[in-house]
């Protein structure tokens, strides 16, 4: 693995779920429970059920259609892949409502329940890299499609490590398109006062890696938590590692 000289970069932009914290696993479980309940209990009664694919939602569906995207985009893209059409609805729809946004809110309810019950502990290798970058005084940001990012950071005790958090709520407020569009990463770089070509992007999702590549960022590092090294490289990652501990170097440690 090539060594990264962190002193040569102006800012580092972290995805959260699956990069800093293992909440990607919690998201995956919440998505699976929500979609499989929908496919079993709700979808058979829909008008287009006869022509739709109602087979079980799988991990492959998560990586292909949901991972790294804003929540409602993930719902919409998965439903499209199965030939299912639902009304868009509104962001205020309850989880019982059979709309795109209702299903997204149903998933969010499940995620919040798990976070409150179990909490979250950051990956040790990610904390080690955060420690090193703090010692080097490199400005850091979290760029997450999830609106739960502040709650996850608080649960993990990492809120004070990042100068800005650009999450799903911020993106919606500013009208920024989500990943794989680069806009949320670009906004984070602007807040930190760093040009994009002097920033590092750390991502585990294909959509996030594509966002980093599309934005012209100086270095896009894929973190392989299950998407696959070849897949992340094909999406535009300059370097792929299995864990952020591999990016901590004895030479740079302070």
């Amino acid at each position: 693995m090539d060594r990264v000289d962190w002193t040569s970069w102006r800012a580092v932009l972290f995805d959260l779920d699956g990069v800093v914290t293992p909440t990607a696993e919690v998201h995956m479980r919440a998505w699976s429970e929500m979609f499989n309940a929908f496919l079993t209990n709700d979808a058979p009664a829909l008008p287009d059920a006869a022509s739709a694919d109602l087979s079980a939602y799988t991990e492959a569906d998560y990586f292909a259609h949901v991972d790294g995207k804003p929540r409602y985009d993930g719902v919409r893209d998965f439903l499209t892949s199965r030939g299912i059409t639902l009304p868009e609805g509104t962001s205020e729809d309850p989880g019982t409502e059979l709309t795109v946004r209702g299903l997204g809110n149903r998933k969010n309810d499940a995620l919040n329940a798990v976070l409150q019950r179990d909490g979250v502990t950051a990956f040790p290798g990610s904390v080690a890299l955060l420690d090193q970058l703090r010692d080097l005084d490199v400005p850091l940001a979290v760029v997450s499609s999830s609106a739960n990012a502040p709650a996850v950071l608080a649960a993990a005790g990492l809120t004070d490590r990042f100068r800005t958090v650009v999450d799903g709520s911020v993106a919606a407020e500013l009208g920024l398109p989500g990943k794989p569009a680069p806009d949320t990463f670009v906004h984070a770089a602007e807040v930190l006062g760093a040009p994009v070509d002097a920033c590092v992007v750390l991502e585990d999702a294909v959509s996030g890696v594509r966002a980093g590549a599309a934005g012209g960022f100086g270095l896009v590092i894929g973190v392989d938590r299950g998407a696959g090294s070849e897949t992340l490289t094909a999406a535009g990652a300059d370097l792929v590692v299995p864990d952020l501990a591999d990016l901590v170097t004895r030479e740079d440690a302070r």
Side-chain angles (χ1 to χ4, degrees):
M1 191 221 47
D2 293 337
R3 175 180 178 273
V4 176
D5 178 9
W6 295 107
T7 63
S8 65
W9 298 100
R10 291 273 300 277
V12 182
L13 315 178
F14 289 76
D15 178 43
L16 180 59
D17 301 321
V19 173
V20 178
T21 57
T23 36
E25 299 171 7
V26 182
H27 280 283
M28 288 176 73
R29 289 198 299 271
W31 280 114
S32 179
E33 291 175 9
M34 185 277 289
F35 274 134
N36 279 317
F38 164 76
L39 290 167
T40 299
N41 302 323
D42 302 310
L46 294 174
D48 53 6
S51 60
D53 177 1
L54 304 186
S55 61
Y57 170 92
T58 68
E59 185 175 285
D61 289 311
Y62 174 80
F63 288 117
H65 306 296
V66 173
D67 188 22
K69 297 177 183 177
R71 191 188 336 142
Y72 301 134
D73 289 352
V75 173
R76 198 178 302 108
D77 290 353
F78 172 73
L79 294 178
T80 297
S81 78
R82 295 302 188 91
I84 299 171
T85 302
L86 289 180
E88 180 68 19
T90 72
S91 299
E92 288 71 42
D93 283 356
T96 53
E97 196 75 25
L98 290 182
T99 63
V100 168
R101 293 177 182 253
L103 291 185
N105 293 341
R106 186 188 301 187
K107 178 265 174 181
N108 199 53
D109 292 341
L111 177 71
N112 284 327
V114 173
L115 281 176
Q116 291 175 9
R117 185 186 70 226
D118 301 334
V120 63
T121 301
F123 291 111
S126 301
V127 175
L129 180 59
L130 289 173
D131 288 345
Q132 179 177 352
L133 295 174
R134 178 184 58 191
D135 293 344
L136 294 171
D137 198 29
V138 178
L140 309 180
V142 158
V143 181
S144 173
S145 296
S146 173
N148 304 101
V152 171
L153 287 172
L158 295 174
T159 301
D160 63 346
R161 300 298 192 101
F162 300 94
R163 297 191 188 180
T164 190
V165 176
V166 180
D167 68 353
S169 296
V170 172
E173 180 181 344
L174 298 177
L176 301 175
K179 306 169 188 176
D183 302 58
T184 50
F185 280 120
V186 171
H187 178 69
E190 291 172 349
V191 172
L192 296 180
V196 295
D197 60 1
C199 294
V200 179
V201 167
L202 291 159
E203 263 285 358
D204 70 314
V206 170
S207 59
V209 169
R210 286 177 177 161
F217 287 86
L219 179 64
V220 179
I221 301 177
V223 186
D224 183 12
R225 306 287 193 193
S229 179
E230 291 184 1
T231 299
L232 293 171
T233 299
D238 302 301
L239 172 68
V240 177
V241 297
D243 191 88
L244 298 194
D246 295 317
L247 300 172
V248 179
T249 58
R250 182 183 300 274
E251 293 87 348
D252 283 345
R254 294 290 185 267

